[in-house]
Structure formats: structure tokens, C-alpha cells
Amino acid sequence: MESPTVHHERLVAEHSAHNYRPLPVVIAHGEGAWVTDVEGRRYLDLLAGYSALNFGHSNPDLLAAAHAQLDRVTLTSRAFGNDQLGPFCAELSALLGKDLVLPMNTGAEAVETGLKVARKWGYEVKGVPADRARVVVAAEGFHGRTISVVSFSTDPEARGGFGPFTPGFDVVPYGDAEALRAAMTDETVAVLLEPVQGEAGVIVPPAGYLADVRSLCTAANVLFVADEVQSGLGRTGHVLATRAEGVDADVYLLGKALGGGVLPVSAVVADRDVLGVLRPGQHGSTFGGNPLACAVGRAVVRLLEEGSVLSHTRTLGAVLHERLRGMRGLTAVRGRGLWAGIDVDPALGTGREVSERLARAGVLTKDTHGPTLRLAPPLVISEPDLHLALDTLEHTLRG
Ligand SMILES: *Cc1c(COP(=O)(O)O)cnc(C)c1O
């Protein structure tokens, strides 16, 4: 007889599009940093839904907010008001110190929205001639899967077969302020980049780079659009990875953890002189700003305001990086907070093979590119559980 795992894998193989290649683990239950599969095996989750689960599986505060709202009203559309939208936008904009919030659903939609706003700002405020706006982006970045977003991807897998592409993007190497300066023209309206490149393997830019991006943007009257969909909302031990470097972007793109791992919630956050270019009818989303999403988003904001999750992340982040620094079998370690990209010695196998061995040993993570694994546990992981995961990693790397 088929095992429950094989049964589920067969259904997915036969009836789901093959756009992912998951590890052979079928999860049925999750709580905090732990998940249980359909055979009752338990694992520590060191991927945390690509940081959508920053506050852990089944976070009691987030579930309580969702349950309470489920019993009241879940969707109104923006044709009418709802009593969660205003408080959500007020509380999130206060947390980030910006004037306005534009709620959307997925991260890719936040990126699309940010690009539309930047172009419109370019024409209406900066005075760029019609249809000439350009956006500078960083190579190896990840911003989602829509056609415009993959138009400026440097990953051949993400682009191949999906043309024709949206024009208006200039790609420069990440971390190179001189290249960024050289790419800016009078028609440049925005620089879009991740303050730490997540999918690329948790690439932290050289010290001072984000401050250089800020001053180059200010000098050239260009918007700095920070894609904090993965780096933001606690992952680095700070509300925003840019702010941790003392840098303030003009436009923040949020997603993933904003929905608390419960549902997709994203947002574009900026001051009135930027987001104010949108007027009724010019942009929208049926589900954007729905009361269920806003109620969960408000609970996420409360967790971040309260602050203990951020200090816990900074403390455990130091533990994580201290232990990784000395670990045999790794050729590189990068990261910030509870977020690390580690490159595995090729002699020990590919990233995929090591992640499969780790899964068999009860620790879930996933390779990104070649030898690179990403470690990003829920921020609520306990110190003993973090040590258990790292003991398992250490043991697995010993072969
Ligand atoms: C995941 C991610 C996105 C896309 O978010 P989706 O919700 O998958 O559309 C955009 N930007 C960054 C930096 C991301 O990590």
C-alpha cells in the first residue's frame, strides 16, 4: 500500500502543475517552529514559508485576530468601506513613519504597484516625458513572478519562454554604487532593490551601500523603492532592514509576514507626495484591504510594536551566526538577524542533497542556488530548538 506521503505526492504529480519541486515532506500540522507531516514525523521549520511565517505556525495572537474577524465580515470590496481598513492603514503607516498605505495581496502585486506609482510620480511630479520613465534594478534580485517583474530578472529560468517583456528597466550589479550612479539618467524615476537579497542566497550588500543608494537617489530626484517583502517585518531583528542601516527609503514594499502566514497581505507604504499620485479608478484589487486581511495585518503590527519578537530575533540571530561561523563543511556564511545563507562544501553534495538529508534528520530548509541553503526559522523559535536545529545541521554536514 502507498504511504500517506507517496499518496499525496502522486496526487500532486498527477493533478497539480509542475512549477515546484518540493522536498518529500507532506505537512499536515504546524505550531510555532514545528511542523508534523502526514505520517506523524515532526520537523523544525527553518524556512518559515519564505519568511511569511515570521511569527510561527498557528501564532495564537494572529489566529485569534483571524477567528474574531471570520465571525464578523471577511470581504466588502473597496466599493464600500470596512471597519478594519482605516485602523490597519493608520497603524501600519505609524509603525513605518510614512503617511499612506496602499494594501494589496501578494508580494508581486506590491512590486507592480510600486512600479506603477514610481512611473506616475515620474511623469506628474518629476516631469519625465510620457512613456520614457526608467527604473534601475539590481542583478540577481527577486521581486516576484508577473511578466513585468520577470522582465528585469537576471535568472534565465524565471524569464525563459515568457517574453515579450516590459521595457523600461536598467539592471546594475548589486552592491556597486558607482554602477548605480552611472545607470541613472534624467528619465530614471526609481531604484528598486532588496536591502538584503533573499532568494539570491541572503546577500548582504557592502557596508555603506544602502546609504549610497539613498544619497544618489536624493541627488538625482529618484525614488528609492525598497523591496522589504522578505527582509522586512522582523527577519533581521528590525522592523525594516533599511532602517537597521540608518537608511530611509521613499517607498516600502511589504508582503509575506504582513499576512502572518494566515493569508496573503501586501502593502506599498510611502509619503503623500508619492502615493498621492493615485486617484480613484487608477489602481485597485478586489481583495486588497479586505477586513480579514486588515485584521490579521493589524495583529502583525501589534506584535512588531510590542518589540519582544525583535529583541528575541537579535539575540538568537547572534547565536545563529556565532555557531555558523565555526561550522565545518561550509564555505561561506552570510546574513542578518535570524536569516542566513550558507554555502555547503560541494564535497558534501549539492544544496538539494543536503536539504534532503536535513529533512530526513528532522530539519526543513531549501536550497536556493546550487550549494546555497537558506536558514530562516520562525522568529519565535526557542533557543533550545535553534540549538537542536544547528546540532542537526552540524551532524549532517559531518556526513
Ligand atoms: C517573495 C518575494 C516577492 C514576491 O512575493 P509573492 O507573494 O510570492 O508574490 C517579492 N519580493 C521579494 C523580495 C520576495 O522575497
Side-chain angles (χ1 to χ4, degrees), residues 2-22:
E2 252 179 6
S3 73
T5 301
V6 169
H7 171 71
H8 286 281
E9 286 184 330
R10 186 176 54 74
L11 286 179
V12 170
E14 287 176 6
H15 303 290
S16 157
H18 293 182
N19 56 328
Y20 279 91
R21 184 169 163 241

Side-chain angles (χ1 to χ4, degrees), residues 113-352:
T113 303
L115 292 171
K116 287 175 75 175
V117 167
R119 283 179 168 188
K120 207 157 188 297
W121 174 89
Y123 302 128
E124 293 184 4
V125 180
K126 181 168 177 173
V128 172
D131 295 338
R132 302 287 303 175
R134 303 197 66 81
V135 174
V136 181
V137 301
E140 321 297 332
F142 181 84
H143 302 280
R145 300 294 195 166
T146 62
I147 285 182
S148 289
V149 171
V150 301
S151 292
F152 56 85
S153 171
T154 51
D155 175 0
E157 288 274 73
R159 287 166 58 89
F162 298 124
F165 296 113
T166 305
F169 299 100
D170 299 300
V171 184
V172 297
Y174 187 64
D176 182 342
E178 190 45 44
L180 176 62
R181 202 179 56 78
M184 285 183 174
T185 71
D186 291 345
E187 295 172 346
T188 304
V189 297
V191 172
L192 166 68
L193 50 83
E194 299 159 89
V196 174
Q197 288 190 321
E199 300 303 306
V202 195
I203 310 294
V204 178
Y209 175 66
L210 296 174
D212 288 345
V213 174
R214 175 67 279 174
S215 47
L216 289 171
C217 285
T218 302
N221 193 25
V222 162
L223 298 177
F224 180 4
V225 182
D227 184 345
E228 297 243 19
V229 168
Q230 194 166 157
S231 60
L233 307 181
R235 181 48 61 191
T236 65
H238 301 270
V239 172
L240 295 166
T242 38
R243 295 275 174 82
E245 302 292 316
V247 170
D248 187 31
D250 299 297
V251 179
Y252 285 109
L253 310 179
L254 302 176
K256 294 200 166 105
L258 191 57
V262 177
L263 74 176
V265 185
S266 67
V268 177
V269 185
D271 279 335
R272 194 165 280 108
D273 57 339
V274 178
L275 258 182
V277 300
L278 291 180
R279 286 172 291 276
Q282 296 178 342
H283 188 64
S285 158
T286 302
F287 288 91
N290 73 74
L292 182 59
C294 290
V296 173
R298 293 180 69 190
V300 167
V301 170
R302 280 195 293 275
L303 287 176
L304 290 166
E305 274 168 355
E306 192 267 319
S308 63
V309 71
L310 297 176
S311 54
H312 180 73
T313 301
R314 292 195 291 269
T315 305
L316 288 205
V319 171
L320 171 72
H321 287 284
E322 174 63 31
R323 281 201 61 181
L324 288 175
R325 254 195 303 280
M327 207 174 275
R328 273 175 48 196
L330 299 180
T331 59
V333 177
R334 299 170 294 274
R336 284 278 185 276
L338 268 176
W339 201 18
I342 58 174
D343 296 347
V344 173
D345 183 342
L348 298 170
T350 63
R352 172 82 189 191

